[in-house]
Amino acid sequence: MAEQGGLIKGLEGVVAAATALCDLDGAGGRLAYRGYDIADLARQATYEEVAYLLWRGELPTRAQLDGFGAELVAARPLPDALLSAFRLLPKKADPMRALQMAAAVLGTFDPDATDNSQEANLRKALRLTSQLATAVCSHHRIRLDKEPVPPSKDLGHAANFLFMLTGERPSAVNVRAFDASLILYAEHEMNASTFTTRVIASTLSDMHSAVVGGIGAIKGPLHGGAGEAVMLTLKEIGKVENVDAFVEKAFAEKRRLMGFGHRVYRAGDPRAAILRGLAEDACRQSGQQMWFEMAVKLFERVNRAKGLIPNVDFYSAPLWYSIGIPVDLFTPVIVAGRIAGWTAHLLEQYQDNRLIRPRGQYTGPGRRQFVPLEKR
Ligand code: CMC
């Protein structure tokens, strides 16, 4: 741990909040949401069930899930003004900037915008989860000069996302893989973006403002932006036979390899292990095995030489690419997954709040005499 005179660089190992959401065992490489292993959730649950679990503490019964699902569906459409705002953006606008704008605009329309009560925040968490998914897809369609696809009233969250993206009803296999990936991104303890959202909420600012900040934090390549960077790396490599030469050159240039390494996991990221299987199936089914094979070879070479582990963003890249998600939508898709976790943390923060206000270690000059402007 990089510690100097009380300064812990990057806050490594610092415990910043109590949370009942995520049990992350970095040494053992295990992860559970509210006690449920993510492998069980990814295999057997839907994103809706996981969002309910994160917000309400328990998995829903069938009747609870039906009611909750209907509320999520009802919250899917966007205000017309947001669609108009998307049309005003440059066509080349980064989808993450568009999403940041969307979260801010949605705050201006939300009937509970500045109400920080638990009930209002539960309503906002639900609306944000549905609306941000619609926003990602609508902005994407508009930037391609296509009409947004109105959200479906009968598809589940994951299926509706893929439907709004393409206008076609997705295959059951793709829906299952995409749903599982959203679940695996839904929550991850005190990562940089979740911490950002909690810092913002700790000032008693509102949920939409916290989410705008979270979107800003997650887009960096050391965090959620790594997935897009992984796919660009695979495309740069081009074919399986080029992996060895690429790795040699990357090591010689001391290049940071995206999708590798983790602040907390030492033995391995359990999400990557599950995503690897999903990516293998999806790449095979779409006839794009080369991306999976390239990723595996890259992993083997890098892991053998440097001991670096693949993280969550490593195998989600070939998975999403093979089911037709555009590369620059990878990070917005991560937001569409992580929104459930961010908002669950915000619910916790508001319920037991204390302003988050750490200190800085001063390294500037000592006290000195002020010199008036005319004498400098
Ligand atoms: N490629 C090459 N070297 C690496 C990498 C990497 N991906 N990750 C760590 N290292 C090396 C690093 O150079 C350093 O070596 P040395 O001690 O010789 O200087 C050592 O490992 C420790 O690295 P660090 O940057 O101090 O570790 P950290 O805990 O601050 O960073 C990390 C964690 C995830 C930012 C880092 O591993 C990284 O940059 N990975 C690539 C980006 C990435 O995949 N991010 C997604 C993270 S998981 C999902 C998420 O949070 O959204």
Side-chain angles (χ1 to χ4, degrees), residues 157-178:
H157 190 77
N160 176 55
F161 188 100
L162 296 174
F163 171 67
M164 290 190 297
L165 201 59
T166 61
E168 285 162 24
R169 288 176 90 84
S171 72
V173 177
N174 283 357
V175 171
R176 190 56 230 144
F178 189 61

Side-chain angles (χ1 to χ4, degrees), residues 239-266:
K239 45 187 181 179
V240 182
E241 303 83 73
N242 294 346
V243 169
D244 283 332
F246 170 85
V247 171
E248 249 168 65
K249 188 161 174 281
F251 287 165
E253 291 169 353
K254 298 202 182 318
R255 184 167 158 176
R256 194 158 280 245
L257 291 160
M258 294 300 155
F260 286 99
H262 200 273
R263 173 63 68 77
V264 186
Y265 292 118
R266 290 296 161 227

Side-chain angles (χ1 to χ4, degrees), residues 12 191 218 221-224 226 255-263 266 269 271 308 311-313:
E12 182 175 351
N191 59 87
I218 207 168
L222 297 189
H223 194 2
R255 184 167 158 176
R256 194 158 280 245
L257 291 160
M258 294 300 155
F260 286 99
H262 200 273
R263 173 63 68 77
R266 290 296 161 227
D269 182 334
R271 301 166 299 175
L308 287 167
N311 60 49
V312 66
D313 296 323

Side-chain angles (χ1 to χ4, degrees), residues 24 159 179-180 285 316 355 361:
L24 195 176
D179 207 352
Q285 275 180 5
S316 61
L355 177 72
Q361 190 183 64

